Amino acid sequence: MERKENRQLDEHRQKQMLLIDQLQEKTILTADELKELLVERDQIVIEYLCKKASTICERHYGRKIYARALIEFTNYCRNDCLYCGIRSSNKKIERYRLSDQEIFDCVNEGYQLGFRTYVLQGGEDAYYTKRKIGMIVKKIKENCPDCAVTLSFGEWDRAVYEYWYECGADRYLLRHETADKMHYQTLHPCKMSFDHRRRCLSILKEIGYQTGAGCMIGSPGQTPDLLVKDLLYMKEFQPHMAGIGPFIPQKDTPFASEPSGTVAMTLKMLAIVRLLLPKILLPSTTALATVHPMGRDYGIFAGANVLMPNLTPQRVRGKYILYDNKISTGAESAQKIAFLKEKLNAVGYELCMERGDSLMQEKIQ
Ligand code: SAH
């Protein structure tokens, strides 16, 4: 009896490992195969998947982990995403905006610390007009021409995206959140549109931005079938970057009592994305490091190669509450970069402070 079970387990492992080996080269992926990997529970197979992903990453990017300094410049938001702590109907959080000067001071501090990429992230806050953001981007690029500027500021018109690109913005992060329209509608108020978000992503890529898509893992109502859709969408869209992290509840949102996404599912998604898009830039997210003390390292072991230390000024750092218990004071703080470097060295990786452009880039700038 036991023998038979062992044989079955061996056969299962072999089949799954073969699938993992083929994943990269495959042009046509079946949804069933992807789902089988996502629901895999056997630790040996999961470790094999992660190892394969980190090896592929190393082949393209070496054992370098790219650093991006994150500046969360406003927590005002006109949107009301059900999962997000800075949603407009959350009256419990204290709102803040950084002044232009505060943003420039952050960048200067980041430059001294060695950062050469700045990610300006915020809620969709119309206080920062097209011109205002354009001016901020221009000034950063004038002062630090060797730096890349990434915007992560939600959905705007083509003309606005084009303007910011002309002002010098290099990259744009706009997670697609979920590739299933019905699911999208359960996570967002009816005013928000799945099709519009998708269109924004296509426009950003057309304009020439290094474009980041991505999704939360374990958001309420998500099933393995929906995650398969996320994988197939990303394979088709070919983003330069993908932000993939666990959903974590925030106590003042409608999803307050929903469970967080799991580490295991997040790692499987990271690893499969790395295999499907070998040259993608893939952060090991703060959300992953928040749900598990080893989350940051685990993400890297599953093929992630970007970290985004927090450079938001101390006066407001605790206020960008997308989800509860978000960490920002340890190795995830930009100021503690030496500590982070040490931590990475200890597991055989090197923090890389260069711009770290995507190798997938079609347009040479
Ligand atoms: N306004 C910008 C930035 C949004 S915040 C935009 O629309 O892109 C950045 C990301 O945080 C979101 O894309 C979302 O995927 C993630 N996020 C928001 N709430 C979260 C939560 N409760 N748990 C985990 N991630 C969350």
Side-chain angles (χ1 to χ4, degrees), residues 312-328:
T312 310
Q314 294 298 343
R315 105 175 154 80
V316 296
R317 194 172 288 180
K319 296 183 185 165
Y320 196 77
I321 310 166
L322 304 176
Y323 47 81
D324 288 334
N325 307 317
K326 181 167 156 251
I327 51 173
S328 65

Side-chain angles (χ1 to χ4, degrees), residues 73-79 88 96-97 122-133 136 153-156 160 164:
F73 66 96
T74 173
N75 71 352
Y76 281 85
C77 190
R78 64 183 174 200
N79 285 333
S88 58
Y96 73 87
R97 291 184 173 115
E124 280 182 28
D125 179 3
Y127 167 85
Y128 295 89
T129 57
K130 167 181 152 183
R131 298 236 160 252
K132 193 169 177 65
I133 294 284
I136 291 168
F153 191 41
E155 297 172 42
W156 304 87
V160 176
W164 294 340

Side-chain angles (χ1 to χ4, degrees), residues 201-268:
L201 276 159
S202 301
I203 289 169
L204 288 163
K205 203 156 175 242
E206 270 167 39
I207 292 172
Y209 283 99
Q210 293 172 49
T211 304
C215 55
M216 283 175 296
I217 307 304
S219 57
Q222 189 178 60
T223 60
D225 286 304
L226 299 187
L227 286 170
V228 168
K229 280 190 152 186
D230 287 316
L231 290 170
L232 293 174
Y233 167 66
M234 287 190 271
K235 176 75 180 168
E236 192 207 317
F237 180 65
Q238 303 257 319
H240 303 88
M241 318 175 270
I244 294 172
F247 158 78
I248 303 173
Q250 202 287 323
K251 64 180 172 39
D252 303 310
T253 64
F255 293 156
S257 49
E258 297 287 339
S260 294
T262 66
V263 175
M265 190 57 98
T266 306
L267 298 181
K268 283 185 273 186

Side-chain angles (χ1 to χ4, degrees), residues 96-113:
Y96 73 87
R97 291 184 173 115
L98 297 188
S99 68
D100 303 355
Q101 194 53 49
E102 278 180 303
I103 297 175
F104 301 140
D105 289 347
C106 269
V107 170
N108 287 339
E109 186 189 358
Y111 198 90
Q112 300 298 319
L113 290 165

